[in-house]
Amino acid sequence: MEIKDIIKPENKVYGKSPLLTDAVMHYCPGCTHGVVHKIIAEVIEEMGIQDKTIGISPVGCAVLAYNYIDIDWEQSAHGRAPALATATKRLNPDKYVFTYQGDGDLASIGCGEVMHACNRGENIVIIFINNAIYGMTGGQMAPTTLLGQVTATTPYGRRADLNGYPMKITEIVAQLEGTCYVTRQSAQNPAAVRKAKKAIRKAFENSMMNKGTSFVEIVGTCNSGWKLTPVKANKWMEENMFPFYQLGDIKDR
Protein backbone atom coordinates (compact mmCIF):
# COMPACT_ATOMS: atom_id res chain seq x y z
CA MET A 1 0.00 0.00 0.00
CA GLU A 2 1.39 3.40 -1.00
CA ILE A 3 1.39 6.44 1.26
CA LYS A 4 -1.09 8.22 -1.05
CA ASP A 5 -3.59 5.46 -0.30
CA ILE A 6 -3.25 6.08 3.43
CA ILE A 7 -3.23 9.87 3.56
CA LYS A 8 -6.32 10.90 1.64
CA PRO A 9 -6.88 14.56 0.69
CA GLU A 10 -10.06 14.84 2.75
CA ASN A 11 -8.16 13.79 5.89
CA LYS A 12 -5.36 16.31 5.58
CA VAL A 13 -5.43 19.00 8.25
CA TYR A 14 -2.30 21.03 7.54
CA GLY A 15 -2.50 21.67 3.79
CA LYS A 16 -2.31 25.31 2.65
CA SER A 17 -5.31 26.78 0.87
CA PRO A 18 -4.48 28.76 -2.28
CA LEU A 19 -6.55 31.58 -0.77
CA LEU A 20 -3.91 32.06 1.93
CA THR A 21 -1.31 34.53 0.73
CA ASP A 22 2.43 34.08 1.17
CA ALA A 23 2.58 36.97 3.65
CA VAL A 24 4.22 35.96 6.92
CA MET A 25 1.61 36.16 9.67
CA HIS A 26 2.36 38.54 12.52
CA TYR A 27 0.64 36.37 15.12
CA CYS A 28 2.60 34.97 18.03
CA PRO A 29 3.60 31.28 17.76
CA GLY A 30 0.72 29.16 19.04
CA CYS A 31 -1.92 31.84 18.45
CA THR A 32 -5.36 30.56 17.46
CA HIS A 33 -5.91 33.32 14.89
CA GLY A 34 -3.67 31.66 12.31
CA VAL A 35 -5.56 28.38 12.57
CA VAL A 36 -8.93 30.07 12.16
CA HIS A 37 -7.66 32.06 9.17
CA LYS A 38 -6.74 28.73 7.58
CA ILE A 39 -10.21 27.31 8.28
CA ILE A 40 -11.97 30.35 6.78
CA ALA A 41 -9.78 30.24 3.66
CA GLU A 42 -10.54 26.54 3.20
CA VAL A 43 -14.30 27.04 3.58
CA ILE A 44 -14.35 29.88 1.04
CA GLU A 45 -12.20 27.87 -1.37
CA GLU A 46 -14.29 24.70 -1.08
CA MET A 47 -17.54 26.63 -1.53
CA GLY A 48 -16.08 28.38 -4.59
CA ILE A 49 -17.06 31.83 -3.33
CA GLN A 50 -13.76 33.72 -3.35
CA ASP A 51 -15.15 36.45 -5.64
CA LYS A 52 -18.41 36.61 -3.68
CA THR A 53 -17.02 37.01 -0.16
CA ILE A 54 -16.36 40.21 1.76
CA GLY A 55 -14.61 40.14 5.13
CA ILE A 56 -14.81 42.91 7.72
CA SER A 57 -11.78 43.28 9.98
CA PRO A 58 -11.82 45.72 12.90
CA VAL A 59 -9.17 46.81 15.41
CA GLY A 60 -7.12 44.29 17.40
CA CYS A 61 -4.88 41.34 16.63
CA ALA A 62 -7.01 40.51 13.59
CA VAL A 63 -6.62 43.97 12.07
CA LEU A 64 -4.27 42.66 9.36
CA ALA A 65 -6.43 39.72 8.28
CA TYR A 66 -6.70 41.29 4.84
CA ASN A 67 -3.00 40.52 4.33
CA TYR A 68 -3.52 36.78 4.72
CA ILE A 69 -6.79 35.74 3.03
CA ASP A 70 -7.15 36.67 -0.65
CA ILE A 71 -10.71 38.02 -0.73
CA ASP A 72 -12.26 41.49 -0.64
CA TRP A 73 -11.90 43.16 2.75
CA GLU A 74 -13.21 46.26 4.46
CA GLN A 75 -11.73 47.91 7.54
CA SER A 76 -14.04 49.09 10.31
CA ALA A 77 -13.56 51.26 13.35
CA HIS A 78 -13.10 49.57 16.72
CA GLY A 79 -16.16 47.45 17.49
CA ARG A 80 -18.14 48.65 14.48
CA ALA A 81 -17.69 45.63 12.20
CA PRO A 82 -21.34 44.44 12.49
CA ALA A 83 -22.59 47.88 11.44
CA LEU A 84 -20.32 47.94 8.40
CA ALA A 85 -21.26 44.33 7.60
CA THR A 86 -24.94 45.28 7.80
CA ALA A 87 -24.53 48.02 5.20
CA THR A 88 -22.33 45.87 2.99
CA LYS A 89 -24.76 42.94 2.96
CA ARG A 90 -27.82 45.10 2.38
CA LEU A 91 -26.13 46.79 -0.56
CA ASN A 92 -24.75 43.49 -1.86
CA PRO A 93 -27.31 40.79 -0.97
CA ASP A 94 -25.62 38.32 -3.34
CA LYS A 95 -22.34 38.47 -1.38
CA TYR A 96 -21.19 36.40 1.59
CA VAL A 97 -20.35 38.94 4.30
CA PHE A 98 -18.62 38.10 7.57
CA THR A 99 -16.95 39.91 10.43
CA TYR A 100 -13.87 38.62 12.22
CA GLN A 101 -13.61 40.01 15.76
CA GLY A 102 -11.83 39.43 19.03
CA ASP A 103 -13.42 39.57 22.47
CA GLY A 104 -12.13 43.03 23.35
CA ASP A 105 -13.51 44.40 20.09
CA LEU A 106 -16.84 42.56 19.98
CA ALA A 107 -17.79 42.13 23.63
CA SER A 108 -16.55 45.49 24.91
CA ILE A 109 -16.66 48.58 22.69
CA GLY A 110 -18.63 46.70 20.05
CA CYS A 111 -21.19 45.11 22.34
CA GLY A 112 -24.01 47.41 21.27
CA GLU A 113 -23.24 46.94 17.59
CA VAL A 114 -23.27 43.14 17.73
CA MET A 115 -26.42 42.97 19.85
CA HIS A 116 -28.48 45.10 17.49
CA ALA A 117 -27.14 43.43 14.33
CA CYS A 118 -28.06 40.04 15.78
CA ASN A 119 -31.42 41.31 16.98
CA ARG A 120 -32.23 42.63 13.51
CA GLY A 121 -31.30 39.26 12.05
CA GLU A 122 -28.86 40.61 9.48
CA ASN A 123 -27.89 37.87 7.03
CA ILE A 124 -24.22 37.99 7.93
CA VAL A 125 -21.71 35.73 9.67
CA ILE A 126 -19.99 36.88 12.84
CA ILE A 127 -16.82 35.02 13.77
CA PHE A 128 -15.84 35.76 17.37
CA ILE A 129 -12.41 34.83 18.72
CA ASN A 130 -12.51 34.57 22.51
CA ASN A 131 -9.12 34.35 24.22
CA ALA A 132 -10.27 36.14 27.38
CA ILE A 133 -7.80 38.98 27.10
CA TYR A 134 -6.80 42.07 25.10
CA GLY A 135 -3.97 40.52 23.11
CA MET A 136 -2.69 43.39 20.99
CA THR A 137 -2.57 46.24 23.48
CA GLY A 138 -0.78 44.66 26.43
CA GLY A 139 -2.84 41.86 27.92
CA GLN A 140 -5.51 43.83 29.78
CA MET A 141 -8.71 42.36 31.20
CA ALA A 142 -11.45 41.79 28.60
CA PRO A 143 -15.19 41.29 29.19
CA THR A 144 -14.55 37.55 28.79
CA THR A 145 -11.64 37.33 31.27
CA LEU A 146 -12.35 34.58 33.80
CA LEU A 147 -12.77 35.17 37.53
CA GLY A 148 -9.36 34.93 39.18
CA GLN A 149 -7.53 35.30 35.87
CA VAL A 150 -4.42 37.46 36.05
CA THR A 151 -4.05 40.17 33.41
CA ALA A 152 -2.15 43.44 33.10
CA THR A 153 -5.08 45.29 34.69
CA THR A 154 -6.05 42.54 37.16
CA PRO A 155 -2.63 41.60 38.61
CA TYR A 156 -4.31 39.81 41.53
CA GLY A 157 -6.95 38.15 39.40
CA ARG A 158 -10.37 39.28 38.21
CA ARG A 159 -12.82 39.93 41.05
CA ALA A 160 -16.58 39.90 40.61
CA ASP A 161 -17.14 42.66 43.18
CA LEU A 162 -14.60 44.95 41.52
CA ASN A 163 -14.62 43.98 37.85
CA GLY A 164 -17.94 42.22 37.34
CA TYR A 165 -18.48 38.76 35.91
CA PRO A 166 -17.20 37.33 32.61
CA MET A 167 -19.67 37.83 29.77
CA LYS A 168 -21.03 34.77 27.99
CA ILE A 169 -21.74 36.85 24.92
CA THR A 170 -22.62 33.83 22.79
CA GLU A 171 -25.38 32.72 25.16
CA ILE A 172 -26.69 36.27 25.15
CA VAL A 173 -26.98 36.57 21.35
CA ALA A 174 -28.59 33.13 21.22
CA GLN A 175 -31.60 34.63 23.03
CA LEU A 176 -32.15 37.21 20.29
CA GLU A 177 -34.82 36.42 17.72
CA GLY A 178 -32.63 37.48 14.82
CA THR A 179 -29.98 34.80 15.29
CA CYS A 180 -30.46 31.51 13.45
CA TYR A 181 -27.26 29.65 14.31
CA VAL A 182 -25.14 30.21 17.40
CA THR A 183 -22.26 27.91 18.28
CA ARG A 184 -19.07 27.78 20.33
CA GLN A 185 -16.10 25.84 19.02
CA SER A 186 -12.32 25.64 19.48
CA ALA A 187 -9.26 24.90 17.33
CA GLN A 188 -6.60 23.35 19.55
CA ASN A 189 -6.37 19.96 17.82
CA PRO A 190 -7.38 18.34 14.50
CA ALA A 191 -10.74 17.09 15.79
CA ALA A 192 -11.64 20.55 17.07
CA VAL A 193 -10.49 22.15 13.81
CA ARG A 194 -12.82 19.91 11.81
CA LYS A 195 -15.78 20.82 14.02
CA ALA A 196 -14.98 24.53 13.79
CA LYS A 197 -14.67 24.32 10.02
CA LYS A 198 -18.03 22.57 9.75
CA ALA A 199 -19.62 25.28 11.89
CA ILE A 200 -18.14 28.12 9.84
CA ARG A 201 -19.29 26.54 6.58
CA LYS A 202 -22.79 26.10 7.95
CA ALA A 203 -22.80 29.76 9.00
CA PHE A 204 -21.79 30.87 5.49
CA GLU A 205 -24.49 28.70 3.93
CA ASN A 206 -27.11 30.15 6.30
CA SER A 207 -26.24 33.69 5.27
CA MET A 208 -27.45 33.07 1.72
CA MET A 209 -30.69 31.43 2.82
CA ASN A 210 -31.90 34.59 4.59
CA LYS A 211 -32.22 32.79 7.92
CA GLY A 212 -30.72 35.61 9.95
CA THR A 213 -27.43 36.09 11.75
CA SER A 214 -25.02 33.19 12.30
CA PHE A 215 -22.65 33.65 15.24
CA VAL A 216 -19.59 31.40 15.60
CA GLU A 217 -17.44 31.76 18.70
CA ILE A 218 -14.01 30.16 18.71
CA VAL A 219 -12.46 29.77 22.16
CA GLY A 220 -8.77 30.35 21.63
CA THR A 221 -5.48 31.02 23.35
CA CYS A 222 -3.27 34.06 23.81
CA ASN A 223 -0.10 32.44 25.07
CA SER A 224 1.77 35.78 25.01
CA GLY A 225 -0.89 37.54 27.06
CA TRP A 226 -1.32 34.55 29.34
CA LYS A 227 2.48 34.26 29.76
CA LEU A 228 2.43 30.58 28.83
CA THR A 229 4.03 28.41 26.18
CA PRO A 230 1.71 27.35 23.34
CA VAL A 231 1.43 23.82 24.77
CA LYS A 232 0.69 25.06 28.30
CA ALA A 233 -1.74 27.65 26.93
CA ASN A 234 -3.78 24.93 25.23
CA LYS A 235 -3.84 22.94 28.46
CA TRP A 236 -4.86 26.01 30.48
CA MET A 237 -7.64 26.70 27.99
CA GLU A 238 -8.97 23.16 28.24
CA GLU A 239 -8.84 23.15 32.04
CA ASN A 240 -10.15 26.67 32.68
CA MET A 241 -11.89 28.12 29.63
CA PHE A 242 -13.88 25.09 28.50
CA PRO A 243 -15.67 24.47 31.83
CA PHE A 244 -16.99 28.06 31.73
CA TYR A 245 -17.32 28.52 27.98
CA GLN A 246 -18.78 25.15 27.09
CA LEU A 247 -18.36 24.01 23.52
CA GLY A 248 -21.13 23.02 21.15
CA ASP A 249 -24.16 24.38 19.32
CA ILE A 250 -26.32 26.65 21.42
CA LYS A 251 -28.96 27.50 18.82
CA ASP A 252 -29.74 26.01 15.41
CA ARG A 253 -32.94 27.21 13.79
Side-chain angles (χ1 to χ4, degrees), residues 47-216:
M47 292 179 69
I49 57 172
Q50 180 180 8
D51 296 334
K52 298 180 180 179
T53 303
I54 302 173
I56 316 292
S57 62
V59 176
C61 288
V63 69
L64 298 177
Y66 51 77
N67 280 335
Y68 310 131
I69 305 177
D70 187 16
I71 57 172
D72 289 330
W73 285 91
E74 295 176 343
Q75 183 73 48
S76 75
H78 201 180
R80 287 4 182 214
L84 182 55
T86 295
T88 301
K89 180 65 175 180
R90 291 189 180 193
L91 290 169
N92 302 275
D94 59 329
K95 301 290 188 180
Y96 294 81
V97 180
F98 74 96
T99 73
Y100 186 93
Q101 302 174 257
D103 47 9
D105 176 86
L106 183 146
S108 183
I109 194 170
C111 189
E113 300 285 352
V114 73
M115 290 296 170
H116 288 286
C118 288
N119 195 51
R120 292 193 303 268
E122 303 294 342
N123 293 302
I124 60 175
V125 176
I126 297 174
I127 298 175
F128 170 46
I129 310 300
N130 175 12
N131 55 24
I133 205 168
Y134 277 84
M136 174 179 269
T137 55
Q140 301 94 335
M141 184 192 77
T144 52
T145 297
L146 298 175
L147 291 178
Q149 186 174 348
V150 173
T151 71
T153 48
T154 56
Y156 302 106
R158 179 174 188 162
R159 288 170 40 192
D161 62 333
L162 182 63
N163 312 114
Y165 293 92
M167 288 186 68
K168 291 186 175 181
I169 198 80
T170 303
E171 279 82 353
I172 295 174
V173 301
Q175 305 306 309
L176 302 175
E177 291 296 327
T179 53
C180 65
Y181 180 52
V182 181
T183 187
R184 181 183 287 121
Q185 302 294 331
S186 62
Q188 81 280 12
N189 57 43
V193 167
R194 283 191 286 269
K195 290 180 181 179
K197 182 177 176 179
K198 183 178 179 181
I200 290 174
R201 174 155 187 160
K202 183 172 185 175
F204 272 79
E205 291 170 345
N206 284 344
S207 71
M208 294 306 287
M209 292 189 284
N210 298 322
K211 288 186 173 183
T213 308
S214 291
F215 189 97
V216 181

Side-chain angles (χ1 to χ4, degrees), residues 146 149 226 232-241:
L146 298 175
Q149 186 174 348
W226 295 355
K232 290 183 178 179
N234 273 337
K235 184 177 180 182
W236 191 91
M237 175 180 65
E238 292 172 348
E239 293 177 350
N240 297 276
M241 296 278 283

